[in-house]
Amino acid sequence: MGEDNVRRWPSSDVLMGAIGYGVVVATLYIMLFGNAFAFAGANDDAAYASGLASLAAILLCVVASLWGSDWLTRLGTRKLLWPSSCILMAAYGAAAWASSAGLASEALSLGLRLVSGAAVGLLMVVWSDYVANQTKATLSMSFVIAFATMGVGMVSVTFLDPFSERIALAAATLLSAVFYMTISQGIKPSRFVSRKESADTLHLNMRSSVSYAITGLVIGNAICLLSRTMPLSYALLTLGFGVLGSVVVSCVLIKLKRGSWLLLGPVERFTFPGLIALLLVAPYSSGAWGVVLAVLLLTMLFVRDLARIVNRALLATEFECQSCYLYARTALPFFIGIGGGFALGVIANAAVFPVAEVVCSIVMVVFLSVGITVMPYGADPLTMPLAQLPEAPSDENRIGQGLWRRACESVAREEGLTPRECDIFQILSHGRSANVIARELDISVYTVKSHMYNIYRKLDIETQQDLIDRVEDERMRIKREVEEPHVRL
């Protein structure tokens, strides 16, 4: 991605969309790890059970969306906006009324969590259209703003009393619905693409799904273990600061690395050592130091989560696919991971032996290590999306084609690429993926990825877009050399 998508500030529509989307995601985490539906006198076991119930409802919605994505797309996902928003606001209102009237019970809390979990799951499906209709020019900063909104929301609710918190969450739900209605006018309907067509086009494999699931696993486990040493409200506060920390880190990386950090593969690699170190040290830390380590751990995890969402949106700009299918297909492993991590945390919290937390951290380290080993460079479209071809060469301009080919040959010669690497380099410069190159050259996709790794290493670059930019710079240099004699004449 070029410089424009980093420096250009989002328009008012994109800004409203980012805030609205951030509110919905914040609501999801508050529901899972907060106490919005917990009544006075409820114990931790009831809170854990209610959190798992909310997650089960969300998972059912995601699975149903994946299975019925064709029907939902034909119906129009935006038609679910007001029904799901009204159900969620009614759940908050019922919780506030029951608490003030003294009618609160664990059964009511569980029922409200199930209903609200289903409503939030449907809202996430509705907002999938917004995520899929981002432009490359604004998507990075849009999701940074969404995560900033999400972090501020989670931090803010922890300072409210239960009644005010429920009223604030109901108002935030209404605000996000209004924002969506405002921006939805700019979301143009596209050609209907079936779930099967989307699956065939995207060619998503299990590698990125494993990565998504492991990130969710560690997030769910970290929050559950945090609640062992502090009330759920303070655990949510720590989670909010972790999200805000990921926003700061992301902004710094965007400034330093432009858009190349957004690829899921590089993000996996540079966060891996820090996550391992923090997971191994965290069980032995307590007090203020333990909270600081927890915030750092969550910061790294949410940098990965931000890259996950950005890559999903970027994938939607590169391929003609169904937004509902793309959302459900990529969100399902993440929510399954959160559920697994939360369940492991509950087991560790219930264990009587003192090393349970240490064992749990070691399990997380093992999962992260497995994840990093099954995700080689460019193993999945989500880890290395296709890059847009610059405007330079066109099919009707033979001179432009010749300059582009000369530029590729010049760069390849300068960097000492082998003949096979030269072949792959030229196809890469036209924005093709590893799977496409493998089909064109009739070789294994893993062989292609191995050559791609060597090419990137020799050129000292990180992404396919960096490669295209390098060729474009060389093309412009050759063009100036060709034109200068005519200018002097």
Side-chain angles (χ1 to χ4, degrees), residues 433-464:
S433 68
N435 290 330
V436 172
I437 296 173
R439 288 196 296 269
E440 289 188 12
L441 299 181
D442 195 23
I443 57 178
S444 163
V445 69
Y446 297 103
T447 302
V448 174
K449 291 165 188 169
S450 177
H451 285 305
M452 287 170 62
Y453 176 82
N454 291 331
I455 292 169
Y456 284 20
R457 178 177 54 80
K458 289 180 180 180
L459 271 64
D460 192 23
I461 58 175
E462 295 183 0
T463 70
Q464 191 173 15

PDB file of all heavy atoms in Angstrom, residues 433-464:
ATOM      1  N   SER A 433      -0.747 -13.640  -6.845  1.00  0.00           N
ATOM      2  CA  SER A 433      -0.533 -14.324  -5.575  1.00  0.00           C
ATOM      3  C   SER A 433       0.307 -15.578  -5.781  1.00  0.00           C
ATOM      4  O   SER A 433       0.553 -16.018  -6.917  1.00  0.00           O
ATOM      5  CB  SER A 433      -1.875 -14.707  -4.954  1.00  0.00           C
ATOM      6  OG  SER A 433      -2.490 -15.720  -5.737  1.00  0.00           O
ATOM      7  N   ALA A 434       0.714 -16.182  -4.674  1.00  0.00           N
ATOM      8  CA  ALA A 434       1.525 -17.396  -4.744  1.00  0.00           C
ATOM      9  C   ALA A 434       0.770 -18.526  -5.430  1.00  0.00           C
ATOM     10  O   ALA A 434       1.350 -19.295  -6.217  1.00  0.00           O
ATOM     11  CB  ALA A 434       1.951 -17.819  -3.333  1.00  0.00           C
ATOM     12  N   ASN A 435      -0.534 -18.651  -5.144  1.00  0.00           N
ATOM     13  CA  ASN A 435      -1.322 -19.724  -5.772  1.00  0.00           C
ATOM     14  C   ASN A 435      -1.407 -19.543  -7.290  1.00  0.00           C
ATOM     15  O   ASN A 435      -1.319 -20.509  -8.049  1.00  0.00           O
ATOM     16  CB  ASN A 435      -2.726 -19.746  -5.176  1.00  0.00           C
ATOM     17  CG  ASN A 435      -2.736 -20.238  -3.745  1.00  0.00           C
ATOM     18  OD1 ASN A 435      -1.900 -21.048  -3.373  1.00  0.00           O
ATOM     19  ND2 ASN A 435      -3.674 -19.760  -2.948  1.00  0.00           N
ATOM     20  N   VAL A 436      -1.587 -18.293  -7.725  1.00  0.00           N
ATOM     21  CA  VAL A 436      -1.662 -18.019  -9.159  1.00  0.00           C
ATOM     22  C   VAL A 436      -0.317 -18.331  -9.827  1.00  0.00           C
ATOM     23  O   VAL A 436      -0.259 -18.942 -10.905  1.00  0.00           O
ATOM     24  CB  VAL A 436      -2.061 -16.553  -9.408  1.00  0.00           C
ATOM     25  CG1 VAL A 436      -1.949 -16.209 -10.888  1.00  0.00           C
ATOM     26  CG2 VAL A 436      -3.475 -16.299  -8.918  1.00  0.00           C
ATOM     27  N   ILE A 437       0.776 -17.915  -9.195  1.00  0.00           N
ATOM     28  CA  ILE A 437       2.116 -18.177  -9.754  1.00  0.00           C
ATOM     29  C   ILE A 437       2.362 -19.673  -9.860  1.00  0.00           C
ATOM     30  O   ILE A 437       2.918 -20.165 -10.861  1.00  0.00           O
ATOM     31  CB  ILE A 437       3.192 -17.499  -8.895  1.00  0.00           C
ATOM     32  CG1 ILE A 437       3.025 -15.979  -8.933  1.00  0.00           C
ATOM     33  CG2 ILE A 437       4.587 -17.881  -9.373  1.00  0.00           C
ATOM     34  CD1 ILE A 437       3.936 -15.244  -7.970  1.00  0.00           C
ATOM     35  N   ALA A 438       1.949 -20.417  -8.822  1.00  0.00           N
ATOM     36  CA  ALA A 438       2.140 -21.868  -8.846  1.00  0.00           C
ATOM     37  C   ALA A 438       1.404 -22.497 -10.019  1.00  0.00           C
ATOM     38  O   ALA A 438       1.926 -23.400 -10.694  1.00  0.00           O
ATOM     39  CB  ALA A 438       1.672 -22.471  -7.526  1.00  0.00           C
ATOM     40  N   ARG A 439       0.193 -22.018 -10.296  1.00  0.00           N
ATOM     41  CA  ARG A 439      -0.576 -22.558 -11.430  1.00  0.00           C
ATOM     42  C   ARG A 439       0.065 -22.167 -12.763  1.00  0.00           C
ATOM     43  O   ARG A 439       0.135 -22.985 -13.691  1.00  0.00           O
ATOM     44  CB  ARG A 439      -2.020 -22.066 -11.368  1.00  0.00           C
ATOM     45  CG  ARG A 439      -2.850 -22.684 -10.264  1.00  0.00           C
ATOM     46  CD  ARG A 439      -4.342 -22.454 -10.489  1.00  0.00           C
ATOM     47  NE  ARG A 439      -4.691 -21.044 -10.434  1.00  0.00           N
ATOM     48  CZ  ARG A 439      -5.067 -20.414  -9.333  1.00  0.00           C
ATOM     49  NH1 ARG A 439      -5.132 -21.071  -8.197  1.00  0.00           N
ATOM     50  NH2 ARG A 439      -5.386 -19.134  -9.369  1.00  0.00           N
ATOM     51  N   GLU A 440       0.539 -20.924 -12.871  1.00  0.00           N
ATOM     52  CA  GLU A 440       1.121 -20.471 -14.136  1.00  0.00           C
ATOM     53  C   GLU A 440       2.433 -21.189 -14.448  1.00  0.00           C
ATOM     54  O   GLU A 440       2.710 -21.500 -15.605  1.00  0.00           O
ATOM     55  CB  GLU A 440       1.350 -18.959 -14.083  1.00  0.00           C
ATOM     56  CG  GLU A 440       0.075 -18.139 -14.128  1.00  0.00           C
ATOM     57  CD  GLU A 440       0.350 -16.651 -14.276  1.00  0.00           C
ATOM     58  OE1 GLU A 440       1.510 -16.286 -14.559  1.00  0.00           O
ATOM     59  OE2 GLU A 440      -0.596 -15.853 -14.104  1.00  0.00           O
ATOM     60  N   LEU A 441       3.247 -21.442 -13.423  1.00  0.00           N
ATOM     61  CA  LEU A 441       4.557 -22.069 -13.643  1.00  0.00           C
ATOM     62  C   LEU A 441       4.529 -23.579 -13.439  1.00  0.00           C
ATOM     63  O   LEU A 441       5.554 -24.251 -13.615  1.00  0.00           O
ATOM     64  CB  LEU A 441       5.596 -21.442 -12.716  1.00  0.00           C
ATOM     65  CG  LEU A 441       5.841 -19.938 -12.901  1.00  0.00           C
ATOM     66  CD1 LEU A 441       6.912 -19.454 -11.925  1.00  0.00           C
ATOM     67  CD2 LEU A 441       6.256 -19.623 -14.333  1.00  0.00           C
ATOM     68  N   ASP A 442       3.366 -24.103 -13.019  1.00  0.00           N
ATOM     69  CA  ASP A 442       3.196 -25.539 -12.798  1.00  0.00           C
ATOM     70  C   ASP A 442       4.211 -26.069 -11.783  1.00  0.00           C
ATOM     71  O   ASP A 442       4.894 -27.076 -12.014  1.00  0.00           O
ATOM     72  CB  ASP A 442       3.322 -26.302 -14.124  1.00  0.00           C
ATOM     73  CG  ASP A 442       2.799 -27.736 -14.004  1.00  0.00           C
ATOM     74  OD1 ASP A 442       1.978 -27.986 -13.088  1.00  0.00           O
ATOM     75  OD2 ASP A 442       3.223 -28.594 -14.799  1.00  0.00           O
ATOM     76  N   ILE A 443       4.308 -25.379 -10.659  1.00  0.00           N
ATOM     77  CA  ILE A 443       5.190 -25.822  -9.576  1.00  0.00           C
ATOM     78  C   ILE A 443       4.400 -25.769  -8.279  1.00  0.00           C
ATOM     79  O   ILE A 443       3.295 -25.231  -8.209  1.00  0.00           O
ATOM     80  CB  ILE A 443       6.455 -24.944  -9.455  1.00  0.00           C
ATOM     81  CG1 ILE A 443       6.075 -23.472  -9.241  1.00  0.00           C
ATOM     82  CG2 ILE A 443       7.346 -25.110 -10.675  1.00  0.00           C
ATOM     83  CD1 ILE A 443       7.274 -22.557  -9.058  1.00  0.00           C
ATOM     84  N   SER A 444       4.971 -26.327  -7.215  1.00  0.00           N
ATOM     85  CA  SER A 444       4.308 -26.341  -5.918  1.00  0.00           C
ATOM     86  C   SER A 444       4.195 -24.932  -5.347  1.00  0.00           C
ATOM     87  O   SER A 444       5.100 -24.108  -5.508  1.00  0.00           O
ATOM     88  CB  SER A 444       5.094 -27.231  -4.942  1.00  0.00           C
ATOM     89  OG  SER A 444       4.720 -26.985  -3.613  1.00  0.00           O
ATOM     90  N   VAL A 445       3.081 -24.666  -4.658  1.00  0.00           N
ATOM     91  CA  VAL A 445       2.910 -23.345  -4.051  1.00  0.00           C
ATOM     92  C   VAL A 445       3.954 -23.108  -2.972  1.00  0.00           C
ATOM     93  O   VAL A 445       4.384 -21.973  -2.725  1.00  0.00           O
ATOM     94  CB  VAL A 445       1.472 -23.207  -3.486  1.00  0.00           C
ATOM     95  CG1 VAL A 445       1.269 -24.119  -2.284  1.00  0.00           C
ATOM     96  CG2 VAL A 445       1.179 -21.765  -3.111  1.00  0.00           C
ATOM     97  N   TYR A 446       4.412 -24.189  -2.322  1.00  0.00           N
ATOM     98  CA  TYR A 446       5.437 -24.029  -1.291  1.00  0.00           C
ATOM     99  C   TYR A 446       6.789 -23.683  -1.895  1.00  0.00           C
ATOM    100  O   TYR A 446       7.582 -22.951  -1.298  1.00  0.00           O
ATOM    101  CB  TYR A 446       5.520 -25.296  -0.441  1.00  0.00           C
ATOM    102  CG  TYR A 446       4.244 -25.570   0.303  1.00  0.00           C
ATOM    103  CD1 TYR A 446       3.358 -26.549  -0.129  1.00  0.00           C
ATOM    104  CD2 TYR A 446       3.890 -24.811   1.415  1.00  0.00           C
ATOM    105  CE1 TYR A 446       2.171 -26.780   0.533  1.00  0.00           C
ATOM    106  CE2 TYR A 446       2.707 -25.027   2.091  1.00  0.00           C
ATOM    107  CZ  TYR A 446       1.849 -26.013   1.652  1.00  0.00           C
ATOM    108  OH  TYR A 446       0.671 -26.238   2.303  1.00  0.00           O
ATOM    109  N   THR A 447       7.043 -24.185  -3.111  1.00  0.00           N
ATOM    110  CA  THR A 447       8.261 -23.788  -3.825  1.00  0.00           C
ATOM    111  C   THR A 447       8.199 -22.302  -4.167  1.00  0.00           C
ATOM    112  O   THR A 447       9.190 -21.578  -4.039  1.00  0.00           O
ATOM    113  CB  THR A 447       8.411 -24.624  -5.108  1.00  0.00           C
ATOM    114  OG1 THR A 447       8.453 -26.006  -4.769  1.00  0.00           O
ATOM    115  CG2 THR A 447       9.686 -24.242  -5.852  1.00  0.00           C
ATOM    116  N   VAL A 448       7.031 -21.854  -4.608  1.00  0.00           N
ATOM    117  CA  VAL A 448       6.855 -20.428  -4.908  1.00  0.00           C
ATOM    118  C   VAL A 448       7.126 -19.586  -3.669  1.00  0.00           C
ATOM    119  O   VAL A 448       7.832 -18.581  -3.718  1.00  0.00           O
ATOM    120  CB  VAL A 448       5.435 -20.156  -5.439  1.00  0.00           C
ATOM    121  CG1 VAL A 448       5.208 -18.653  -5.604  1.00  0.00           C
ATOM    122  CG2 VAL A 448       5.213 -20.865  -6.758  1.00  0.00           C
ATOM    123  N   LYS A 449       6.580 -20.000  -2.532  1.00  0.00           N
ATOM    124  CA  LYS A 449       6.757 -19.218  -1.301  1.00  0.00           C
ATOM    125  C   LYS A 449       8.208 -19.186  -0.852  1.00  0.00           C
ATOM    126  O   LYS A 449       8.688 -18.177  -0.327  1.00  0.00           O
ATOM    127  CB  LYS A 449       5.866 -19.784  -0.205  1.00  0.00           C
ATOM    128  CG  LYS A 449       4.386 -19.543  -0.472  1.00  0.00           C
ATOM    129  CD  LYS A 449       3.529 -20.420   0.410  1.00  0.00           C
ATOM    130  CE  LYS A 449       2.069 -20.312  -0.019  1.00  0.00           C
ATOM    131  NZ  LYS A 449       1.226 -21.320   0.629  1.00  0.00           N
ATOM    132  N   SER A 450       8.910 -20.291  -1.082  1.00  0.00           N
ATOM    133  CA  SER A 450      10.335 -20.309  -0.755  1.00  0.00           C
ATOM    134  C   SER A 450      11.104 -19.306  -1.618  1.00  0.00           C
ATOM    135  O   SER A 450      11.954 -18.549  -1.118  1.00  0.00           O
ATOM    136  CB  SER A 450      10.891 -21.723  -0.958  1.00  0.00           C
ATOM    137  OG  SER A 450      12.276 -21.756  -0.717  1.00  0.00           O
ATOM    138  N   HIS A 451      10.808 -19.273  -2.913  1.00  0.00           N
ATOM    139  CA  HIS A 451      11.447 -18.302  -3.805  1.00  0.00           C
ATOM    140  C   HIS A 451      11.039 -16.873  -3.421  1.00  0.00           C
ATOM    141  O   HIS A 451      11.870 -15.953  -3.477  1.00  0.00           O
ATOM    142  CB  HIS A 451      11.057 -18.575  -5.261  1.00  0.00           C
ATOM    143  CG  HIS A 451      11.739 -19.763  -5.858  1.00  0.00           C
ATOM    144  ND1 HIS A 451      13.114 -19.912  -5.870  1.00  0.00           N
ATOM    145  CD2 HIS A 451      11.242 -20.871  -6.473  1.00  0.00           C
ATOM    146  CE1 HIS A 451      13.431 -21.045  -6.468  1.00  0.00           C
ATOM    147  NE2 HIS A 451      12.308 -21.655  -6.846  1.00  0.00           N
ATOM    148  N   MET A 452       9.781 -16.682  -3.054  1.00  0.00           N
ATOM    149  CA  MET A 452       9.329 -15.346  -2.644  1.00  0.00           C
ATOM    150  C   MET A 452      10.103 -14.861  -1.418  1.00  0.00           C
ATOM    151  O   MET A 452      10.500 -13.692  -1.344  1.00  0.00           O
ATOM    152  CB  MET A 452       7.827 -15.375  -2.336  1.00  0.00           C
ATOM    153  CG  MET A 452       6.945 -15.489  -3.560  1.00  0.00           C
ATOM    154  SD  MET A 452       5.200 -15.797  -3.160  1.00  0.00           S
ATOM    155  CE  MET A 452       4.801 -14.327  -2.231  1.00  0.00           C
ATOM    156  N   TYR A 453      10.326 -15.763  -0.476  1.00  0.00           N
ATOM    157  CA  TYR A 453      11.084 -15.390   0.720  1.00  0.00           C
ATOM    158  C   TYR A 453      12.492 -14.942   0.340  1.00  0.00           C
ATOM    159  O   TYR A 453      13.005 -13.929   0.839  1.00  0.00           O
ATOM    160  CB  TYR A 453      11.146 -16.573   1.687  1.00  0.00           C
ATOM    161  CG  TYR A 453      11.993 -16.301   2.906  1.00  0.00           C
ATOM    162  CD1 TYR A 453      11.475 -15.596   3.993  1.00  0.00           C
ATOM    163  CD2 TYR A 453      13.310 -16.746   2.969  1.00  0.00           C
ATOM    164  CE1 TYR A 453      12.244 -15.332   5.105  1.00  0.00           C
ATOM    165  CE2 TYR A 453      14.087 -16.483   4.083  1.00  0.00           C
ATOM    166  CZ  TYR A 453      13.545 -15.781   5.150  1.00  0.00           C
ATOM    167  OH  TYR A 453      14.325 -15.513   6.251  1.00  0.00           O
ATOM    168  N   ASN A 454      13.129 -15.685  -0.567  1.00  0.00           N
ATOM    169  CA  ASN A 454      14.492 -15.332  -0.998  1.00  0.00           C
ATOM    170  C   ASN A 454      14.505 -13.998  -1.747  1.00  0.00           C
ATOM    171  O   ASN A 454      15.418 -13.186  -1.573  1.00  0.00           O
ATOM    172  CB  ASN A 454      15.066 -16.438  -1.880  1.00  0.00           C
ATOM    173  CG  ASN A 454      15.354 -17.709  -1.106  1.00  0.00           C
ATOM    174  OD1 ASN A 454      15.651 -17.652   0.090  1.00  0.00           O
ATOM    175  ND2 ASN A 454      15.245 -18.848  -1.749  1.00  0.00           N
ATOM    176  N   ILE A 455      13.488 -13.779  -2.583  1.00  0.00           N
ATOM    177  CA  ILE A 455      13.402 -12.507  -3.331  1.00  0.00           C
ATOM    178  C   ILE A 455      13.245 -11.346  -2.368  1.00  0.00           C
ATOM    179  O   ILE A 455      13.926 -10.322  -2.479  1.00  0.00           O
ATOM    180  CB  ILE A 455      12.235 -12.561  -4.338  1.00  0.00           C
ATOM    181  CG1 ILE A 455      12.526 -13.572  -5.450  1.00  0.00           C
ATOM    182  CG2 ILE A 455      11.976 -11.182  -4.942  1.00  0.00           C
ATOM    183  CD1 ILE A 455      11.325 -13.883  -6.326  1.00  0.00           C
ATOM    184  N   TYR A 456      12.339 -11.477  -1.406  1.00  0.00           N
ATOM    185  CA  TYR A 456      12.117 -10.399  -0.437  1.00  0.00           C
ATOM    186  C   TYR A 456      13.386 -10.127   0.370  1.00  0.00           C
ATOM    187  O   TYR A 456      13.713  -8.985   0.684  1.00  0.00           O
ATOM    188  CB  TYR A 456      10.973 -10.771   0.511  1.00  0.00           C
ATOM    189  CG  TYR A 456       9.594 -10.651  -0.091  1.00  0.00           C
ATOM    190  CD1 TYR A 456       9.394 -10.632  -1.474  1.00  0.00           C
ATOM    191  CD2 TYR A 456       8.468 -10.573   0.714  1.00  0.00           C
ATOM    192  CE1 TYR A 456       8.149 -10.525  -2.020  1.00  0.00           C
ATOM    193  CE2 TYR A 456       7.199 -10.465   0.171  1.00  0.00           C
ATOM    194  CZ  TYR A 456       7.051 -10.447  -1.204  1.00  0.00           C
ATOM    195  OH  TYR A 456       5.796 -10.340  -1.745  1.00  0.00           O
ATOM    196  N   ARG A 457      14.101 -11.207   0.708  1.00  0.00           N
ATOM    197  CA  ARG A 457      15.339 -11.038   1.485  1.00  0.00           C
ATOM    198  C   ARG A 457      16.404 -10.313   0.664  1.00  0.00           C
ATOM    199  O   ARG A 457      17.066  -9.396   1.165  1.00  0.00           O
ATOM    200  CB  ARG A 457      15.863 -12.413   1.931  1.00  0.00           C
ATOM    201  CG  ARG A 457      17.169 -12.362   2.713  1.00  0.00           C
ATOM    202  CD  ARG A 457      17.567 -13.760   3.173  1.00  0.00           C
ATOM    203  NE  ARG A 457      17.620 -14.715   2.084  1.00  0.00           N
ATOM    204  CZ  ARG A 457      18.641 -14.828   1.238  1.00  0.00           C
ATOM    205  NH1 ARG A 457      19.703 -14.029   1.374  1.00  0.00           N
ATOM    206  NH2 ARG A 457      18.636 -15.717   0.280  1.00  0.00           N
ATOM    207  N   LYS A 458      16.563 -10.672  -0.591  1.00  0.00           N
ATOM    208  CA  LYS A 458      17.576 -10.042  -1.437  1.00  0.00           C
ATOM    209  C   LYS A 458      17.242  -8.581  -1.720  1.00  0.00           C
ATOM    210  O   LYS A 458      18.146  -7.740  -1.801  1.00  0.00           O
ATOM    211  CB  LYS A 458      17.715 -10.812  -2.762  1.00  0.00           C
ATOM    212  CG  LYS A 458      18.373 -12.184  -2.606  1.00  0.00           C
ATOM    213  CD  LYS A 458      18.487 -12.899  -3.949  1.00  0.00           C
ATOM    214  CE  LYS A 458      19.150 -14.260  -3.794  1.00  0.00           C
ATOM    215  NZ  LYS A 458      19.280 -14.971  -5.085  1.00  0.00           N
ATOM    216  N   LEU A 459      15.949  -8.277  -1.874  1.00  0.00           N
ATOM    217  CA  LEU A 459      15.549  -6.895  -2.136  1.00  0.00           C
ATOM    218  C   LEU A 459      15.403  -6.076  -0.857  1.00  0.00           C
ATOM    219  O   LEU A 459      15.156  -4.866  -0.918  1.00  0.00           O
ATOM    220  CB  LEU A 459      14.230  -6.859  -2.911  1.00  0.00           C
ATOM    221  CG  LEU A 459      14.342  -6.879  -4.446  1.00  0.00           C
ATOM    222  CD1 LEU A 459      14.943  -8.168  -4.957  1.00  0.00           C
ATOM    223  CD2 LEU A 459      12.973  -6.653  -5.083  1.00  0.00           C
ATOM    224  N   ASP A 460      15.527  -6.749   0.304  1.00  0.00           N
ATOM    225  CA  ASP A 460      15.384  -6.097   1.609  1.00  0.00           C
ATOM    226  C   ASP A 460      14.029  -5.404   1.720  1.00  0.00           C
ATOM    227  O   ASP A 460      13.923  -4.223   2.067  1.00  0.00           O
ATOM    228  CB  ASP A 460      16.508  -5.086   1.842  1.00  0.00           C
ATOM    229  CG  ASP A 460      16.560  -4.606   3.299  1.00  0.00           C
ATOM    230  OD1 ASP A 460      16.063  -5.343   4.164  1.00  0.00           O
ATOM    231  OD2 ASP A 460      17.073  -3.509   3.553  1.00  0.00           O
ATOM    232  N   ILE A 461      12.965  -6.151   1.407  1.00  0.00           N
ATOM    233  CA  ILE A 461      11.602  -5.620   1.485  1.00  0.00           C
ATOM    234  C   ILE A 461      10.768  -6.589   2.300  1.00  0.00           C
ATOM    235  O   ILE A 461      11.219  -7.699   2.626  1.00  0.00           O
ATOM    236  CB  ILE A 461      10.980  -5.429   0.085  1.00  0.00           C
ATOM    237  CG1 ILE A 461      10.974  -6.766  -0.683  1.00  0.00           C
ATOM    238  CG2 ILE A 461      11.708  -4.353  -0.695  1.00  0.00           C
ATOM    239  CD1 ILE A 461      10.282  -6.685  -2.016  1.00  0.00           C
ATOM    240  N   GLU A 462       9.513  -6.181   2.589  1.00  0.00           N
ATOM    241  CA  GLU A 462       8.649  -7.002   3.426  1.00  0.00           C
ATOM    242  C   GLU A 462       7.353  -7.412   2.736  1.00  0.00           C
ATOM    243  O   GLU A 462       6.741  -8.399   3.125  1.00  0.00           O
ATOM    244  CB  GLU A 462       8.300  -6.272   4.726  1.00  0.00           C
ATOM    245  CG  GLU A 462       9.500  -6.026   5.632  1.00  0.00           C
ATOM    246  CD  GLU A 462       9.087  -5.365   6.931  1.00  0.00           C
ATOM    247  OE1 GLU A 462       7.872  -5.122   7.104  1.00  0.00           O
ATOM    248  OE2 GLU A 462       9.965  -5.088   7.761  1.00  0.00           O
ATOM    249  N   THR A 463       6.919  -6.656   1.743  1.00  0.00           N
ATOM    250  CA  THR A 463       5.617  -6.934   1.151  1.00  0.00           C
ATOM    251  C   THR A 463       5.691  -6.909  -0.372  1.00  0.00           C
ATOM    252  O   THR A 463       6.639  -6.389  -0.971  1.00  0.00           O
ATOM    253  CB  THR A 463       4.567  -5.897   1.595  1.00  0.00           C
ATOM    254  OG1 THR A 463       4.887  -4.642   0.987  1.00  0.00           O
ATOM    255  CG2 THR A 463       4.552  -5.742   3.106  1.00  0.00           C
ATOM    256  N   GLN A 464       4.633  -7.440  -0.973  1.00  0.00           N
ATOM    257  CA  GLN A 464       4.533  -7.434  -2.425  1.00  0.00           C
ATOM    258  C   GLN A 464       4.396  -6.010  -2.951  1.00  0.00           C
ATOM    259  O   GLN A 464       4.901  -5.686  -4.019  1.00  0.00           O
ATOM    260  CB  GLN A 464       3.347  -8.292  -2.861  1.00  0.00           C
ATOM    261  CG  GLN A 464       3.302  -8.561  -4.354  1.00  0.00           C
ATOM    262  CD  GLN A 464       2.210  -9.557  -4.702  1.00  0.00           C
ATOM    263  OE1 GLN A 464       1.321  -9.829  -3.897  1.00  0.00           O
ATOM    264  NE2 GLN A 464       2.256 -10.105  -5.902  1.00  0.00           N
TER     265      GLN A 464
END
